[in-house]
Amino acid sequence: MADLSPQPHPEPTPPSRSSILVAAARAFGSREPDQTIRNPDLLADRLIGPDELVLLGDHPLAKALEQDCAEASQIPAVVGFAWLMLLRTRFIDDALERAIKNGATQVVILGAGFDTRAYRFQELLKDCKVFEVDAAPTQEYKRRRVAMALPDLPQNLNHVKVDFAKDDLGDALRTAGLKQNEKTFYIWEGVTMYLPDECVRKTLQTLASLSVPRSSVVLDYVNSLGIELGKFTPQGAGGLPASWGEPWIFGVPGANGSEFFHELGFDPGVPVVINHPDLVKRYMVGKDGVTYGAHVFEKARAAAEAKAKEAAQSPPPPPPEALAELRKAITAAGGVYWLAEITVRP
Ligand SMILES: C[S@@+](CC[C@H](N)C(=O)[O-])C[C@H]1O[C@@H](n2cnc3c(N)ncnc32)[C@H](O)[C@@H]1O
């Protein structure tokens, strides 16, 4: 006889916690009183509510959003994250504005998470088609959250569910209405690190073959030295809790990925290391002339120096040779974390 007793509902797959974490860091940065160094993503704060903070567990950013902003602005882990997001958001926002001015008519946000550009740039994008692409659990979660927290969806926004590791991105975008003969601007922010090598390659090859020349992709990424460096830390590169199941596994070969992007059909342009002085000057200096977070980073540096002095009587063991070699290679490469706008070659 059939079992007619009520069956337990399977737990829905949780959204990507890293997508909530980065939005939380933008939300924190958007509370900065000095407008010149405020994160421009003012909608992030509306998307990160109590349920999202619960998903972040005991991450310092979850607490920071419930704390007084000035007080939380003294915590290095919070400010460090907000620093990274401020720079990343501004760099990519600028690239988006430039791409539209230069004739892109389609914008595809890959691994969109809680990206709000379709909403923040409605006026700029009013004559464009916009596509948000993400894995189903995160996209479904985000759409429910947006329906609660933001006004109506922009008419030109299309949602496309794709797992980069399993699905055919090209087919999915074409089916959703992407036109291969129109100039397209792709945003791939905070995603490559989480994907297997072959998946990053396949995705970039798809974008190159799907798009007319001079279409471009703005993205951030680490090099393989950055992934190696993570192996010397307890939580690995990326530093997210292992229970989130989102380790950083991919780094581009070479110093800044130029050859890698070239091989896959792109003009790599001039990749720029995330803390390049020109970027810091352009995006991170407050109206008092002080760089965002400088006071906290200086305090943390001084505390580390004092600790090292204290331990001088019994010096700590020197770093393993492999770590010393890796540090040298990172200095020679110019850093581990990069931003680039790469362009489809004719
Ligand atoms: C750190 S979040 C970044 C989100 C957003 N781009 C941002 O910067 O706010 C990583 C995003 O990559 C997406 N992602 C990771 N692996 C994926 C895969 N195999 N297929 C599709 N999306 C993936 C996650 O769903 C998540 O939205």
Side-chain angles (χ1 to χ4, degrees), residues 103-339:
T105 51
Q106 308 181 104
V107 174
V108 181
I109 307 171
L110 298 159
F114 278 56
D115 189 296
T116 60
R117 292 187 176 90
Y119 307 85
R120 291 194 286 121
F121 288 100
Q122 276 194 57
E123 182 53 31
L124 177 77
L125 300 177
K126 65 179 189 305
D127 298 323
C128 295
K129 267 192 200 154
V130 183
F131 301 84
E132 283 190 3
V133 178
D134 211 338
T138 303
Q139 186 167 88
E140 284 162 9
Y141 187 101
K142 192 246 190 120
R143 291 188 72 174
R144 283 196 298 276
R145 188 66 196 122
V146 163
M148 283 190 260
L150 301 185
D152 294 344
L153 286 186
Q155 295 278 318
N156 58 348
L157 175 57
N158 304 275
H159 291 95
V160 189
K161 284 182 201 158
V162 167
D163 183 329
F164 299 123
K166 293 187 191 145
D167 301 324
D168 188 321
L169 175 64
D171 275 358
L173 282 172
R174 276 188 296 264
T175 306
L178 188 90
K179 297 273 178 281
Q180 282 190 255
N181 57 356
E182 290 185 28
K183 201 168 169 186
T184 306
F185 180 65
Y186 297 92
I187 296 173
W188 209 12
E189 180 182 7
V191 186
T192 53
M193 315 72 174
Y194 300 96
L195 302 175
D197 182 297
E198 64 278 11
C199 182
V200 175
R201 287 173 194 269
K202 196 181 84 189
T203 303
L204 287 172
Q205 275 163 341
T206 301
L207 302 185
S209 64
L210 196 64
S211 319
V212 288
R214 310 216 191 295
S215 295
S216 62
V217 185
V218 68
L219 75 168
D220 60 330
Y221 51 95
V222 289
N223 56 27
S224 54
L225 299 170
I227 300 295
E228 283 307 305
L229 185 63
K231 293 182 184 161
F232 289 90
T233 63
Q235 285 188 314
L240 303 180
S243 61
W244 292 11
E246 297 181 84
W248 281 21
I249 53 174
F250 173 75
V252 295
N256 64 19
S258 285
E259 284 164 22
F260 175 75
F261 297 131
H262 192 269
E263 260 170 42
L264 297 170
F266 292 89
D267 173 347
V270 186
V272 57
V273 73
I274 191 99
N275 58 352
H276 191 286
D278 290 349
L279 288 188
V280 172
K281 195 168 154 201
R282 193 178 321 149
Y283 297 125
M284 309 299 285
V285 179
K287 60 177 189 280
D288 55 2
V290 176
T291 306
Y292 180 80
H295 64 293
V296 183
F297 303 139
E298 177 49 29
K299 247 199 249 166
R301 196 199 53 77
E305 207 175 86
K307 209 167 150 198
K309 258 192 206 152
E310 238 176 69
Q313 265 92 351
S314 51
E321 227 166 82
L323 179 57
E325 285 304 311
L326 184 56
R327 289 209 168 114
K328 269 194 228 157
I330 289 171
T331 305
V336 296
Y337 194 128
W338 298 80
L339 288 158

Side-chain angles (χ1 to χ4, degrees), residues 28-51:
F28 183 79
S30 75
R31 295 181 186 180
E32 163 62 40
D34 178 354
Q35 201 188 337
T36 52
I37 45 170
R38 184 179 301 151
N39 192 301
D41 186 359
L42 303 185
L43 297 181
D45 220 356
R46 287 163 61 183
L47 295 181
I48 302 300
D51 290 350

